[in-house]
Amino acid sequence: MATAGGGSVADPGCRSLLRLLSFCVLLAGLCRGNSVERKIYISLNKTAPCVRLLNATHQIGCQSSVSGDTGILHVVEKERDLQWVLTDGPNPPYVVLLEGELFTRNLMEKLKGTTSRIAGLAVSLAKPRPVSGSSPSVQCPNDGFGIYSNSYGPEFAHCREIPWNPLGDGLAYEDFSFPIFLLEDENETKVIKQCYRDHNLSPNGSAPTFPLCAMQLFSHMHAVISTVTCMRRSSIQSTFSINPEIVCDPLSDYNVWSMLKPINISGALEPDDRVVVAATRLDSRSFFWNVAPGAESAVASFVTQLAAAEALQKAPDALTLPRNVMFVFFQGETFDYIGSSRMVYDMEKGKFPVQLENIDSFVELGQVALRNSLELWMHTDPMSQKNESVHNQVEALLSTLEKSGAGVPAVVLRRPNQSQPLPPSSLQRFLRARNISGVVLADHSAVFHNHYYQSIYDTAENINVSYPEWQSPEEDLNFVTDTAKVTRLLYGFLVRANNSWFQSILRQDLRSYLGDGPLQHYIAVSSPTNTTYVVQYALANLTGQVVDLPREQCQDPSKVPSENKDLYEYAWVQGPLNSNETDRLPRCVRSTARLARALSPAFELRQWGSTEYSTWTESRWKDIRARIFLVASRELEFITLMVGFGILVFSLVVTYCINAKADVLFITPREPGAVSY
């Protein structure tokens, strides 16, 4: 339709059509963009990052920049290959693909000193594992948080007498300003190396020509400086913001505990009630987030304790023993005794049914799987034994253990030098609060036998657990290994968690906690973790009873007069497969296996700078991923940019000219009815 001024107005139908066409173009662009991205980038899906952890005074770990760090890929198979990255290479920064056996403190110090040429690091698993050992932990684990200090047993403080972990290089407690990832899948590692050989490897050491294979790593961390700083920032955000942005979280989980004879958890034991504590730890760690196989440092000991709890519960005279037994599996012991310090704190504050004065003796399982012979060493504390009464109690405890061990053909109990201090152990946290008779059983008389303490290589192989290659997973589950007769437990925790037995002992809603590989035993911040749940339900299955209750009553036993929720814990589990192996036979298990909070008291007390309690936190992040792609030369990128800019300017000029002459170029024809004679 013509306007009075002689211009024109677009037809409404045309405008609708244009909008539809525009939408289709945008939609096609988006689809095409995703397709292009998939063609450009190869995502690495099986990686584990190094993340940032913080305590009262420091930050450790790694991070990338906000937008990720990108560098030309360079494979370092021998230490001399590093020269290209540090000085010779013409196209810095580089992302180094490092062979696992070279991932040592000495080499990392070299990379740390040249951060301008290093964009990141990808580490492949060493196969076979490093023969000389590999421990990124420190030589004196949990230093400053045990019983020994400059004011109490100064000769033992800071591991002056025995550096318990002599192979520890402390790498996991360093701070790196660039991202570091572990490549967990051999096939992905092969793809990366092939990309490097095809594009980055040039003959005679000359500079390779573009395009080059590059890697991009994303692992930006939100928390900085220390736990004091990040918790204060999070607290301010929570107080004044509607949508607070929390930057770090305390490491926390749950301890698992049970009683040989049930006790009423709604109250406290009488002072005359005596309890023997049997303790061990659940957790481990490594340099990389949530890669903590912990075969010797944790699994062997808590599996042994699970087996001991089952044997004692099934003993015919168990309920007539003069003392009750409390089995405890502490979480977070790797990080300055989180679990044990919290239980001691709760006992002191009357928040736990067992009090410190109820503890008659304390028997802890340390690292027990790497015995050179049949010997198992009984470690005690020389400082508390200066008290004659405690000394006599400890002697009586050792004598009892020796008599009990005499009937076990595979174990010979030995006493180390009496003046020797305790190794790192949960017992130390209890001794800080009260002099009790205690012993730590371990496979080492002095320094650790474990050459892979808190390492990615502390796997089933480290404790000689292996299975014939021709067997099926179900046959492996029931195969009696040379290491131990506790077959199903070792297989489930060290080889394949998603097995028929673990499935049968868990609730249906916990099935997702079982993966096809081994469980990892890092405490984390989201709890309970996989390990905690599986240990709790394994303990319940091994020591509890199947009771004839339907699902509704099992989940709410308060409706059943004969059952007592204060004495027992009830769980409706999936149960074994039926005879046809088509369906499961769910059942109700009644036991004394329970959970108790394993959060450092420092966070309840808001003492984030505490030197008495653990203050470890984990930084939050938004995006963790890795990918490889081909990158063009800077010259080509500049030319592309200029061409694109030129096209943009030309388009603007053309658009302006067309718009200025629109009344001439786009004349709307008159309607036939408007013609006059």
Side-chain angles (χ1 to χ4, degrees):
M1 176 179 177
T3 64
S8 63
V9 176
D11 188 286
C14 293
R15 286 200 297 268
S16 299
L17 181 60
L18 286 171
R19 290 194 191 102
L20 180 61
L21 289 172
S22 300
F23 174 76
C24 291
V25 169
L26 287 172
L27 187 61
L30 288 172
C31 296
R32 193 177 300 115
N34 289 336
S35 175
V36 169
E37 182 177 0
R38 287 195 298 270
K39 290 178 180 178
I40 294 176
Y41 298 104
I42 298 177
S43 295
L44 306 175
N45 299 316
K46 294 184 179 180
T47 62
C50 160
V51 303
R52 175 168 290 165
L53 302 175
L54 309 98
N55 64 11
T57 56
H58 292 83
Q59 66 179 29
I60 63 172
C62 322
Q63 77 155 350
S64 73
S65 60
V66 176
S67 56
D69 291 327
T70 303
I72 303 300
L73 183 67
H74 189 75
V75 176
V76 174
E77 296 178 334
K78 298 178 181 178
E79 192 164 346
R80 64 172 178 266
D81 297 337
L82 206 60
Q83 191 67 26
W84 181 268
V85 174
L86 299 180
T87 57
D88 298 346
N91 302 302
Y94 290 93
V95 170
V96 176
L97 172 53
L98 189 68
E99 294 295 326
E101 60 269 18
L102 296 178
F103 187 54
T104 62
R105 186 184 182 95
N106 289 337
L107 188 140
M108 291 303 295
E109 290 290 346
K110 294 179 181 178
L111 295 180
K112 199 174 181 180
T114 56
T115 54
S116 62
R117 294 182 61 88
I118 302 295
L121 187 68
V123 181
S124 64
L125 281 168
K127 291 190 177 181
R129 58 186 178 159
V131 178
S132 58
S134 173
S135 175
S137 184
V138 292
Q139 295 188 359
C140 189
N142 292 353
D143 186 21
F145 290 86
I147 189 175
Y148 307 116
S149 65
N150 293 332
S151 59
Y152 185 87
E155 64 271 31
F156 306 131
H158 313 301
C159 301
R160 289 192 178 104
E161 183 169 308
I162 301 175
W164 294 102
N165 183 35
L167 293 179
D169 59 15
L171 190 61
Y173 291 83
E174 291 291 321
D175 184 46
F176 295 92
S177 59
F178 50 82
I180 303 176
F181 279 60
L182 175 68
L183 303 175
E184 299 182 278
D185 184 78
E186 286 188 62
N187 292 326
E188 287 190 345
T189 303
K190 290 177 181 178
V191 170
I192 297 169
K193 288 184 175 181
Q194 189 61 49
C195 183
Y196 168 78
R197 286 191 290 266
D198 291 345
H199 300 280
N200 297 12
L201 194 60
S202 58
N204 305 321
S206 59
T209 57
F210 287 91
L212 298 176
C213 188
M215 181 178 286
Q216 191 171 30
L217 304 174
F218 298 84
S219 63
H220 181 67
M221 301 288 129
H222 294 177
V224 294
I225 302 176
S226 68
T227 289
V228 176
T229 301
C230 77
M231 289 299 293
R232 184 175 63 242
R233 290 177 178 175
S234 297
S235 178
I236 293 172
Q237 283 273 339
S238 299
T239 304
F240 297 105
S241 176
I242 298 175
N243 298 308
E245 184 176 345
I246 308 301
V247 296
C248 68
D249 300 282
L251 294 181
S252 66
D253 197 8
Y254 288 86
N255 299 323
V256 180
W257 68 284
S258 73
M259 301 298 296
L260 179 65
K261 293 180 278 189
I263 63 172
N264 192 326
I265 63 168
S266 62
L269 293 181
E270 295 296 327
D272 293 337
D273 293 334
R274 309 302 290 165
V275 173
V276 175
V277 176
T280 189
R281 67 169 56 187
L282 285 179
D283 67 304
S284 184
R285 70 164 301 201
S286 74
F287 186 89
F288 299 98
W289 183 76
N290 204 32
V291 181
E296 161 73 344
S297 59
V299 176
S301 57
F302 72 65
V303 162
T304 301
Q305 178 148 304
L306 285 169
E310 179 188 26
L312 189 56
Q313 193 74 50
K314 292 180 179 179
D317 58 346
L319 298 180
T320 62
L321 293 173
R323 299 177 184 85
N324 207 342
V325 180
M326 180 171 77
F327 296 97
V328 188
F329 301 79
F330 291 117
Q331 262 287 11
E333 297 301 273
T334 299
F335 294 95
D336 300 337
Y337 305 119
I338 292 174
S340 56
S341 63
R342 177 54 184 262
M343 182 164 284
V344 170
Y345 175 82
D346 287 344
M347 287 180 171
E348 290 177 323
K349 300 299 181 183
K351 298 179 179 180
F352 195 77
V354 178
Q355 309 297 302
L356 286 172
E357 54 265 27
N358 295 125
I359 298 177
D360 179 81
S361 54
F362 194 107
V363 180
E364 180 173 353
L365 286 178
Q367 301 181 79
V368 295
L370 294 178
R371 290 178 290 161
N372 291 332
S373 57
L374 301 180
E375 294 175 332
L376 205 58
W377 296 88
M378 301 184 293
H379 297 267
T380 59
D381 170 44
M383 295 299 298
S384 59
Q385 290 187 72
K386 291 180 179 180
N387 181 303
E388 185 177 356
S389 174
V390 174
H391 175 73
N392 293 335
Q393 292 173 18
V394 171
E395 284 296 316
L397 175 61
L398 295 178
S399 298
T400 301
L401 289 172
E402 286 171 336
K403 291 177 183 177
S404 302
V408 182
V411 176
V412 177
L413 294 174
R414 300 289 190 199
R415 301 189 187 192
N417 190 320
Q418 195 169 5
S419 63
Q420 185 173 296
L422 280 172
S425 53
S426 305
L427 174 57
Q428 293 200 31
R429 290 301 302 193
F430 283 79
L431 288 173
R432 281 177 72 131
R434 185 183 180 88
N435 276 347
I436 58 177
S437 60
V439 60
V440 177
L441 302 177
D443 55 22
H444 53 90
S445 61
V447 300
F448 295 165
H449 288 170
N450 187 3
H451 293 171
Y452 305 95
Y453 181 72
Q454 293 181 5
S455 164
I456 57 178
Y457 303 109
D458 189 10
T459 59
E461 179 187 2
N462 188 31
I463 61 172
N464 302 314
V465 172
S466 60
Y467 301 88
E469 294 182 0
W470 60 85
Q471 289 188 168
S472 67
E474 199 64 25
E475 290 173 326
D476 287 346
L477 176 64
N478 297 294
F479 181 75
V480 179
T481 67
D482 294 332
T483 299
K485 308 298 182 184
V486 197
T487 56
R488 295 181 299 180
L489 287 167
L490 282 175
Y491 179 79
F493 286 110
L494 293 177
V495 181
R496 184 184 176 90
N498 192 16
N499 61 73
S500 61
W501 188 63
F502 275 8
Q503 290 169 3
S504 71
I505 66 174
L506 289 180
R507 300 195 316 255
Q508 187 175 11
D509 61 306
L510 298 178
R511 288 180 302 174
S512 61
Y513 280 62
L514 302 177
D516 289 335
L519 289 175
Q520 303 299 325
H521 310 294
Y522 173 65
I523 178 174
V525 296
S526 56
S527 58
T529 61
N530 308 35
T531 299
T532 301
Y533 267 135
V534 175
V535 168
Q536 180 196 9
Y537 280 85
L539 182 61
N541 182 272
L542 295 172
T543 63
Q545 293 179 316
V546 176
V547 292
D548 187 19
L549 292 177
R551 180 172 183 171
E552 293 74 18
Q553 292 181 347
C554 185
Q555 293 175 339
D556 187 10
S558 60
K559 298 177 181 178
V560 185
S562 61
E563 302 297 336
N564 192 333
K565 186 74 172 176
D566 290 333
L567 293 179
Y568 297 102
E569 193 79 6
Y570 299 80
W572 185 257
V573 300
Q574 294 189 95
L577 290 169
N578 61 15
S579 57
N580 297 327
E581 296 189 354
T582 55
D583 296 304
R584 293 197 171 273
L585 305 172
R587 55 192 184 180
C588 184
V589 176
R590 183 183 69 189
S591 73
T592 62
R594 292 184 167 92
L595 301 181
R597 199 77 173 98
L599 170 67
S600 172
F603 298 100
E604 282 221 346
L605 300 170
R606 296 177 67 87
Q607 296 176 358
W608 304 319
S610 173
T611 57
E612 172 68 16
Y613 299 112
S614 171
T615 56
W616 285 104
T617 55
E618 178 184 276
S619 174
R620 288 196 179 186
W621 59 80
K622 286 186 178 178
D623 190 19
I624 286 184
R625 56 194 170 99
R627 59 188 185 181
I628 60 173
F629 59 98
L630 294 182
V631 62
S633 66
R634 290 189 177 89
E635 291 79 7
L636 180 58
E637 289 177 340
F638 181 77
I639 292 171
T640 304
L641 176 65
M642 290 298 101
V643 170
F645 182 73
I647 292 173
L648 173 63
V649 172
F650 176 76
S651 301
L652 292 174
V653 171
V654 170
T655 302
Y656 173 78
C657 294
I658 292 176
N659 187 59
K661 300 294 184 180
D663 56 338
V664 177
L665 297 173
F666 306 106
I667 299 175
T668 304
R670 294 184 178 182
E671 296 180 7
V675 179
S676 59
Y677 298 92

